Amino acid sequence: MENGKIENKKTHWYEWMPNSFVLLFLIIVFMTILTYVIPAGMFDRVEKAGRMVVNPETFHRVDQSPVGLWAMFKSLPQGMVAAAIYIVNILIAGAMMKVLYVSGAIENVLGVSIRKLGVKNDTLVVAVMSIIFVLLGALVGFENSIALVPIAGMVSMAIGGDMMLGALIAVGGIGTGFAVHPFQPATVGTAHAIAELPMFSGAALRGLFMAMAAVIVMFHNLAYLKRIKKDPEKSLSKDIDTEGFSLSKPLEDYHILPMHKIVFGIFVTGILIFVYGAKTYGWFMVEQVTVFIVIAILCGLVAGLSPNKITDTMVQGATVVTGGAIIVGVARAIQVVMEQGRIADSIVYYLSLPLKDVPLIVSGILMTVVHSVINFFIPSGSGQAMATMPIMIPLADIIGMTRQTAVFAFQMGDGIMNLVVPTLGGLLAMLALLRIPFGRWFRVAFPLALKLLVASWIIVVIAVLTHWGPA
């Protein structure tokens, strides 16, 4: 109240959004209702290129299998069991980062780096970091980059930004790089195998779009920085706890000691070892968690922490991200409900039908939209490829669209929407590490996703007009 008048504070629409747990539970309830409404159906599966894919000519109705109230609630623990390795990954990543923070290595390396770049050059820092994280998403991978996310939060706080800017740099960059990488094995590789195209063909046009996407991410992040610098009240994370992310002393007081170099070297070496193992031996989540544990122990010992102190610190770090870890299991429950209700294949089938009766350019654009919608239900890139591409490839042949264009439309619809779907465990894991609620993230990430999707339509139009082939 001011001067006897009641001050009406403007409430933004995203402040009315429920928190992530409530939002996901409402989606689970909605999916449960759909198991009574959507006709249950299934495709037959056949083995192709070592993978089980659907036969597009075999969609058939099956007995309705509606999910009851008990089964709906039971899907929650079932989802947590199914997503167990993702949950463990989040907890151990949080534990490892806490040890690195306590050692002082990360903070001192960042402090010295920012001092050399110049804290006043915040625009340069954000631009460079945005491009770096796009490249990390492309070269290292989505889930593989989870441990690096908190670094962006620390950089953002150091230059006077906020946690949301850190999320835009890290999550926006990693998600975009992973989505548009021209040699993405999970999406492009799987889709090319199903489409019987030369593996990773068409890389030139995909590479052009990746460069476009990196620039879009950079300017989107710079626009947010400019907005919160002009008016700090417009920060979407001003009330979020930043303990462990803010630099604790003036920049001139930071120095990199030999111990810090060793600790930071262990961290970087561990990440590189995992990347090598993932590329060479097919390492994934279990091996990543193992590497995180080893990094935490070795860094703790080098920093002079006792075994008791190392374990206590790891527990503290895991505690901070427990909520985000649990939410990944809740998100997985959505797929459990769809599988039990036998509606996943039906959703894919009915969404593909409108593509047959529109002009080719419109079909290409609509194909990205259809994949964007399907991605909400099947957030796995390779999983969506195996479910949809056996349908989309014959459909592309029928309507006169090249298979390369169909694969690109799938890659964009699947990958770009990964920035905003609340059913993707890796996305929720990254937001959990930065303590960003999904509703607020959606507020800034959805416009970014739209910009990227519209830009991808330019490539779709070029692809249709040039009859883009496999070269």
Side-chain angles (χ1 to χ4, degrees), residues 369-418:
V369 175
V370 167
H371 281 294
S372 298
V373 175
I374 293 174
N375 194 48
F376 178 87
F377 304 99
I378 310 175
S380 164
S382 57
Q384 186 181 158
M386 289 184 283
T388 63
M389 295 315 290
I391 302 168
M392 296 300 184
I393 293 303
L395 177 61
D397 292 342
I398 292 171
I399 64 178
M401 179 186 295
T402 66
R403 294 186 172 191
Q404 195 71 274
T405 304
V407 171
F408 180 79
F410 152 69
Q411 182 190 9
M412 295 303 105
D414 164 75
I416 291 172
M417 285 300 110
N418 280 341

Side-chain angles (χ1 to χ4, degrees), residues 52-101:
M52 296 302 295
V53 301
V54 302
N55 182 338
E57 306 297 328
T58 61
F59 181 77
H60 56 280
R61 293 283 301 275
V62 296
D63 292 339
Q64 205 72 16
S65 181
V67 175
L69 187 63
W70 173 253
M72 182 188 76
F73 281 100
K74 188 178 177 181
S75 71
L76 293 169
Q78 288 175 326
M80 292 180 190
V81 171
I85 189 58
Y86 287 92
I87 294 173
V88 172
N89 186 289
I90 297 168
L91 295 173
I92 299 303
M96 177 192 67
M97 293 307 299
K98 183 67 174 180
V99 172
L100 291 172
Y101 177 76

Side-chain angles (χ1 to χ4, degrees), residues 3 20 122 138 168 212 214 345:
N3 296 328
S20 299
D122 50 7
L168 281 170
M212 291 170 57
D345 282 2

Side-chain angles (χ1 to χ4, degrees), residues 197-216:
L197 291 171
M199 192 62 67
F200 303 127
S201 55
L205 197 54
R206 296 178 199 279
L208 171 63
F209 182 71
M210 181 175 172
M212 291 170 57
V215 172
I216 290 171

Side-chain angles (χ1 to χ4, degrees), residues 134 172-173 175-177 179-180 209-218 220 408 412 415-417 419 445-459:
V134 169
T176 300
V180 304
F209 182 71
M210 181 175 172
M212 291 170 57
V215 172
I216 290 171
V217 171
M218 180 182 70
H220 185 81
F408 180 79
M412 295 303 105
I416 291 172
M417 285 300 110
L419 290 170
F446 187 66
L448 172 60
L450 283 181
K451 292 174 186 177
L452 292 168
L453 198 61
V454 171
S456 76
W457 294 344
I458 297 173
I459 303 298

Side-chain angles (χ1 to χ4, degrees), residues 227-246:
R227 186 161 69 246
I228 63 173
K229 284 285 189 178
K230 183 177 180 181
D231 183 2
E233 287 301 310
K234 291 186 177 180
S235 167
L236 294 177
S237 59
K238 56 181 178 291
D239 58 338
I240 289 176
D241 178 20
T242 59
E243 180 183 357
F245 288 95
S246 301

